[in-house]
Short mmCIF file of all heavy atoms in Angstrom, two decimals:
data_model
loop_
_atom_site.label_atom_id
_atom_site.label_comp_id
_atom_site.label_asym_id
_atom_site.label_seq_id
_atom_site.Cartn_x
_atom_site.Cartn_y
_atom_site.Cartn_z
N GLU A 591 1.98 19.54 2.69
CA GLU A 591 1.52 19.75 1.30
C GLU A 591 0.94 18.46 0.79
O GLU A 591 0.05 18.40 -0.20
CB GLU A 591 2.38 20.26 0.46
CG GLU A 591 2.96 21.81 0.73
CD GLU A 591 1.83 22.69 0.80
OE1 GLU A 591 1.01 22.80 -0.10
OE2 GLU A 591 1.60 23.43 1.84
N ILE A 592 1.31 17.32 1.13
CA ILE A 592 1.09 16.00 0.68
C ILE A 592 0.55 15.08 1.56
O ILE A 592 1.20 14.72 2.57
CB ILE A 592 2.30 15.27 -0.13
CG1 ILE A 592 2.84 16.18 -1.30
CG2 ILE A 592 1.95 13.93 -0.79
CD1 ILE A 592 4.13 15.86 -1.94
N PRO A 593 -0.92 14.59 1.55
CA PRO A 593 -1.36 13.72 2.60
C PRO A 593 -0.58 12.33 2.57
O PRO A 593 -0.09 11.97 1.43
CB PRO A 593 -2.82 13.48 1.86
CG PRO A 593 -3.08 14.66 1.01
CD PRO A 593 -1.68 15.12 0.50
N MET A 594 -0.52 11.75 3.78
CA MET A 594 0.22 10.52 3.88
C MET A 594 -0.76 9.59 4.60
O MET A 594 -1.40 9.82 5.45
CB MET A 594 1.34 10.67 4.78
CG MET A 594 2.27 9.45 4.85
SD MET A 594 3.06 9.32 6.52
CE MET A 594 1.83 8.44 7.59
N LEU A 595 -0.80 8.26 4.07
CA LEU A 595 -1.61 7.12 4.60
C LEU A 595 -0.64 6.09 4.91
O LEU A 595 0.44 5.85 4.34
CB LEU A 595 -2.68 6.73 3.73
CG LEU A 595 -3.64 7.70 3.38
CD1 LEU A 595 -3.43 8.38 2.03
CD2 LEU A 595 -4.99 6.82 3.26
N GLY A 596 -0.87 5.27 6.06
CA GLY A 596 -0.09 4.24 6.42
C GLY A 596 -0.58 3.36 7.50
O GLY A 596 -1.79 3.82 8.18
N SER A 597 -0.07 2.27 7.87
CA SER A 597 -0.63 1.51 8.94
C SER A 597 0.04 2.07 10.26
O SER A 597 0.93 2.76 10.30
CB SER A 597 -0.21 -0.01 8.80
OG SER A 597 -0.85 -0.52 7.55
N ASP A 598 -0.51 1.54 11.32
CA ASP A 598 -0.04 1.86 12.75
C ASP A 598 1.17 1.11 13.00
O ASP A 598 1.11 0.11 13.78
CB ASP A 598 -1.06 1.73 13.74
CG ASP A 598 -0.78 2.24 15.13
OD1 ASP A 598 0.46 2.70 15.27
OD2 ASP A 598 -1.70 2.44 16.00
N HIS A 599 2.40 1.37 12.34
CA HIS A 599 3.56 0.50 12.42
C HIS A 599 4.08 0.55 13.87
O HIS A 599 4.73 -0.43 14.35
CB HIS A 599 4.57 1.10 11.50
CG HIS A 599 4.14 0.98 10.13
ND1 HIS A 599 3.84 -0.19 9.39
CD2 HIS A 599 3.89 2.01 9.10
CE1 HIS A 599 3.53 0.10 8.09
NE2 HIS A 599 3.56 1.34 7.89
N ALA A 600 4.01 1.71 14.53
CA ALA A 600 4.62 1.77 15.99
C ALA A 600 3.80 0.66 16.86
O ALA A 600 4.49 0.03 17.64
CB ALA A 600 4.31 3.16 16.49
N TYR A 601 2.48 0.73 16.83
CA TYR A 601 1.72 -0.40 17.35
C TYR A 601 2.08 -1.82 17.02
O TYR A 601 2.28 -2.75 17.76
CB TYR A 601 0.21 -0.25 17.32
CG TYR A 601 -0.60 -1.35 18.02
CD1 TYR A 601 -0.57 -1.30 19.43
CD2 TYR A 601 -1.23 -2.18 17.26
CE1 TYR A 601 -1.35 -2.33 20.10
CE2 TYR A 601 -2.08 -3.17 17.95
CZ TYR A 601 -2.03 -3.36 19.35
OH TYR A 601 -2.73 -4.32 19.84
N GLY A 602 2.22 -1.99 15.73
CA GLY A 602 2.68 -3.29 15.19
C GLY A 602 3.96 -3.72 15.60
O GLY A 602 4.16 -4.86 16.07
N GLY A 603 4.96 -2.81 15.81
CA GLY A 603 6.27 -3.14 16.39
C GLY A 603 6.25 -3.57 17.73
O GLY A 603 6.79 -4.44 18.36
N LYS A 604 5.38 -2.80 18.63
CA LYS A 604 5.19 -2.96 19.99
C LYS A 604 4.49 -4.38 20.26
O LYS A 604 4.83 -5.14 21.09
CB LYS A 604 4.20 -1.89 20.58
CG LYS A 604 4.02 -1.96 22.15
CD LYS A 604 3.27 -0.84 22.63
CE LYS A 604 2.83 -0.83 24.06
NZ LYS A 604 1.80 -1.87 24.32
N LEU A 605 3.40 -4.75 19.37
CA LEU A 605 2.74 -6.00 19.38
C LEU A 605 3.60 -7.12 19.24
O LEU A 605 3.67 -8.28 20.08
CB LEU A 605 1.64 -5.94 18.54
CG LEU A 605 0.56 -7.10 18.48
CD1 LEU A 605 -0.17 -7.14 19.83
CD2 LEU A 605 -0.40 -6.86 17.35
N ALA A 606 4.52 -6.99 18.21
CA ALA A 606 5.45 -8.22 17.93
C ALA A 606 6.48 -8.36 19.14
O ALA A 606 6.69 -9.46 19.55
CB ALA A 606 6.26 -7.70 16.70
N ALA A 607 6.87 -7.19 19.60
CA ALA A 607 7.83 -7.35 20.87
C ALA A 607 7.18 -7.99 22.06
O ALA A 607 7.74 -8.77 22.70
CB ALA A 607 8.31 -5.85 21.12
N GLU A 608 5.89 -7.52 22.30
CA GLU A 608 5.18 -8.23 23.58
C GLU A 608 5.00 -9.65 23.29
O GLU A 608 5.04 -10.49 24.25
CB GLU A 608 3.84 -7.49 23.69
CG GLU A 608 4.02 -6.11 24.11
CD GLU A 608 2.65 -5.37 24.33
OE1 GLU A 608 1.71 -6.07 23.99
OE2 GLU A 608 2.58 -4.27 24.82
N ILE A 609 4.82 -10.13 22.01
CA ILE A 609 4.62 -11.38 21.88
C ILE A 609 5.95 -12.22 22.06
O ILE A 609 5.95 -13.39 22.69
CB ILE A 609 4.10 -11.80 20.39
CG1 ILE A 609 2.70 -11.20 20.31
CG2 ILE A 609 4.12 -13.23 20.09
CD1 ILE A 609 2.11 -11.23 18.77
N MET A 610 7.04 -11.72 21.68
CA MET A 610 8.32 -12.32 22.01
C MET A 610 8.64 -12.38 23.45
O MET A 610 9.11 -13.40 23.95
CB MET A 610 9.44 -11.38 21.12
CG MET A 610 9.43 -11.49 19.65
SD MET A 610 9.78 -13.19 18.95
CE MET A 610 9.94 -12.85 17.30
N LEU A 611 8.27 -11.29 24.06
CA LEU A 611 8.61 -11.25 25.56
C LEU A 611 7.71 -12.35 26.11
O LEU A 611 8.23 -13.02 27.10
CB LEU A 611 8.14 -9.95 26.05
CG LEU A 611 9.12 -8.68 25.69
CD1 LEU A 611 8.70 -7.46 26.12
CD2 LEU A 611 10.57 -8.95 26.35
N LYS A 612 6.51 -12.42 25.90
CA LYS A 612 5.61 -13.43 26.55
C LYS A 612 5.81 -14.85 26.11
O LYS A 612 5.50 -15.78 26.79
CB LYS A 612 4.11 -13.06 26.33
CG LYS A 612 3.77 -11.77 26.95
CD LYS A 612 2.25 -11.47 26.89
CE LYS A 612 2.00 -10.29 27.78
NZ LYS A 612 0.47 -9.87 27.79
N ASN A 613 6.64 -14.95 25.04
CA ASN A 613 7.16 -16.26 24.69
C ASN A 613 8.49 -16.64 25.18
O ASN A 613 9.04 -17.53 24.78
CB ASN A 613 7.07 -16.39 23.14
CG ASN A 613 5.87 -16.88 22.49
OD1 ASN A 613 5.65 -18.12 22.16
ND2 ASN A 613 4.85 -15.93 22.43
N ASN A 614 9.01 -15.72 26.08
CA ASN A 614 10.35 -15.96 26.73
C ASN A 614 11.48 -15.92 25.92
O ASN A 614 12.53 -16.68 26.03
CB ASN A 614 10.27 -17.20 27.64
CG ASN A 614 9.15 -17.03 28.75
OD1 ASN A 614 9.12 -16.01 29.42
ND2 ASN A 614 8.41 -18.05 28.93
N CYS A 615 11.46 -15.16 24.73
CA CYS A 615 12.56 -15.14 23.89
C CYS A 615 13.77 -14.36 24.50
O CYS A 615 13.50 -13.26 25.07
CB CYS A 615 12.27 -14.47 22.53
SG CYS A 615 11.04 -15.64 21.62
N LYS A 616 14.93 -14.65 24.31
CA LYS A 616 16.19 -14.12 24.78
C LYS A 616 17.05 -13.58 23.75
O LYS A 616 17.73 -12.51 24.08
CB LYS A 616 16.99 -14.94 25.74
CG LYS A 616 16.05 -15.67 26.90
CD LYS A 616 15.50 -14.67 27.78
CE LYS A 616 14.78 -15.16 28.94
NZ LYS A 616 14.00 -14.13 29.74
N ARG A 617 17.15 -14.00 22.74
CA ARG A 617 17.95 -13.64 21.53
C ARG A 617 17.14 -13.59 20.28
O ARG A 617 16.86 -14.67 19.66
CB ARG A 617 19.26 -14.41 21.37
CG ARG A 617 20.03 -14.54 22.59
CD ARG A 617 21.41 -15.28 22.35
NE ARG A 617 22.38 -14.45 21.72
CZ ARG A 617 23.02 -14.59 20.51
NH1 ARG A 617 22.63 -15.74 19.86
NH2 ARG A 617 23.90 -13.85 20.10
N VAL A 618 16.86 -12.38 19.75
CA VAL A 618 15.80 -12.23 18.59
C VAL A 618 16.54 -11.60 17.48
O VAL A 618 16.99 -10.52 17.51
CB VAL A 618 14.57 -11.48 19.12
CG1 VAL A 618 13.75 -11.23 17.84
CG2 VAL A 618 13.88 -12.08 20.27
N VAL A 619 16.54 -12.31 16.35
CA VAL A 619 16.96 -11.86 15.03
C VAL A 619 15.96 -10.80 14.53
O VAL A 619 14.73 -11.06 14.47
CB VAL A 619 17.14 -12.94 14.04
CG1 VAL A 619 17.45 -12.31 12.57
CG2 VAL A 619 18.35 -13.84 14.40
N HIS A 620 16.47 -9.69 14.09
CA HIS A 620 15.60 -8.58 13.59
C HIS A 620 16.02 -8.17 12.22
O HIS A 620 17.15 -7.47 12.13
CB HIS A 620 15.58 -7.43 14.57
CG HIS A 620 14.81 -6.27 14.22
ND1 HIS A 620 14.93 -5.00 14.61
CD2 HIS A 620 13.60 -6.21 13.53
CE1 HIS A 620 14.01 -4.13 14.09
NE2 HIS A 620 13.22 -4.83 13.50
N ILE A 621 15.45 -8.58 11.12
CA ILE A 621 15.88 -8.30 9.80
C ILE A 621 15.12 -7.11 9.37
O ILE A 621 13.90 -6.94 9.32
CB ILE A 621 15.62 -9.45 8.73
CG1 ILE A 621 16.28 -10.66 9.29
CG2 ILE A 621 16.05 -9.18 7.42
CD1 ILE A 621 16.07 -12.00 8.54
N THR A 622 15.99 -5.99 9.01
CA THR A 622 15.33 -4.81 8.65
C THR A 622 15.86 -4.17 7.31
O THR A 622 16.78 -4.67 6.74
CB THR A 622 15.63 -3.72 9.71
OG1 THR A 622 17.05 -3.38 9.74
CG2 THR A 622 15.28 -4.09 11.09
N GLY A 623 15.13 -3.13 6.85
CA GLY A 623 15.59 -2.44 5.61
C GLY A 623 15.16 -1.02 5.91
O GLY A 623 14.10 -0.60 5.46
N ILE A 624 16.02 -0.20 6.52
CA ILE A 624 15.57 1.17 6.95
C ILE A 624 15.74 2.07 5.79
O ILE A 624 16.69 2.30 5.22
CB ILE A 624 16.42 1.67 8.12
CG1 ILE A 624 16.32 0.61 9.29
CG2 ILE A 624 15.97 3.06 8.52
CD1 ILE A 624 14.92 0.53 9.90
N ALA A 625 14.45 2.67 5.39
CA ALA A 625 14.37 3.60 4.18
C ALA A 625 14.29 5.14 4.81
O ALA A 625 13.67 5.11 5.94
CB ALA A 625 13.34 3.34 3.33
N PRO A 626 14.78 5.92 4.26
CA PRO A 626 14.64 7.44 4.75
C PRO A 626 13.17 7.84 4.56
O PRO A 626 12.56 7.60 3.54
CB PRO A 626 15.58 8.26 3.82
CG PRO A 626 15.70 7.37 2.59
CD PRO A 626 15.67 6.00 2.97
N ASN A 627 12.75 8.54 5.59
CA ASN A 627 11.46 9.28 5.59
C ASN A 627 10.24 8.36 5.48
O ASN A 627 9.18 8.67 4.91
CB ASN A 627 11.32 10.33 4.53
CG ASN A 627 12.48 11.32 4.77
OD1 ASN A 627 12.79 11.82 5.95
ND2 ASN A 627 13.08 11.82 3.65
N VAL A 628 10.38 7.07 5.81
CA VAL A 628 9.34 6.04 5.71
C VAL A 628 8.76 5.55 7.08
O VAL A 628 9.56 5.29 7.98
CB VAL A 628 9.69 4.72 4.94
CG1 VAL A 628 8.67 3.76 4.85
CG2 VAL A 628 10.37 5.19 3.52
N ALA A 629 7.48 5.84 7.29
CA ALA A 629 6.71 5.60 8.48
C ALA A 629 6.93 4.13 8.96
O ALA A 629 6.76 3.94 10.14
CB ALA A 629 5.28 5.99 8.42
N ALA A 630 7.02 3.28 8.01
CA ALA A 630 7.26 1.79 8.44
C ALA A 630 8.45 1.61 9.28
O ALA A 630 8.47 0.57 10.04
CB ALA A 630 7.33 0.98 7.09
N ASN A 631 9.40 2.49 9.35
CA ASN A 631 10.63 2.36 10.13
C ASN A 631 10.15 2.24 11.59
O ASN A 631 10.88 1.81 12.48
CB ASN A 631 11.55 3.65 9.96
CG ASN A 631 12.14 3.60 8.60
OD1 ASN A 631 12.20 2.57 7.81
ND2 ASN A 631 12.58 4.81 8.11
N ASP A 632 8.97 2.92 11.95
CA ASP A 632 8.52 3.00 13.31
C ASP A 632 8.46 1.60 13.96
O ASP A 632 8.75 1.41 15.17
CB ASP A 632 7.18 3.67 13.53
CG ASP A 632 7.17 5.23 13.18
OD1 ASP A 632 8.49 5.67 13.10
OD2 ASP A 632 6.17 5.74 12.93
N ARG A 633 8.02 0.60 13.17
CA ARG A 633 7.89 -0.75 13.79
C ARG A 633 9.29 -1.27 14.11
O ARG A 633 9.30 -1.96 15.21
CB ARG A 633 7.22 -1.67 12.73
CG ARG A 633 8.08 -2.13 11.61
CD ARG A 633 7.31 -3.28 10.90
NE ARG A 633 8.21 -3.97 9.97
CZ ARG A 633 8.11 -3.64 8.57
NH1 ARG A 633 7.22 -2.64 8.12
NH2 ARG A 633 8.75 -4.34 7.64
#
Side-chain angles (χ1 to χ4, degrees):
E591 297 298 313
I592 297 177
M594 187 210 89
L595 292 97
S597 297
D598 192 345
H599 300 296
Y601 177 70
K604 180 174 180 289
L605 189 57
E608 288 180 357
I609 295 169
M610 289 293 186
L611 290 171
K612 293 189 177 185
N613 273 258
N614 297 314
C615 293
K616 302 301 180 188
R617 303 189 79 236
V618 177
V619 169
H620 183 209
I621 302 175
T622 67
I624 303 295
N627 302 317
V628 175
N631 295 340
D632 291 347
R633 79 173 186 260

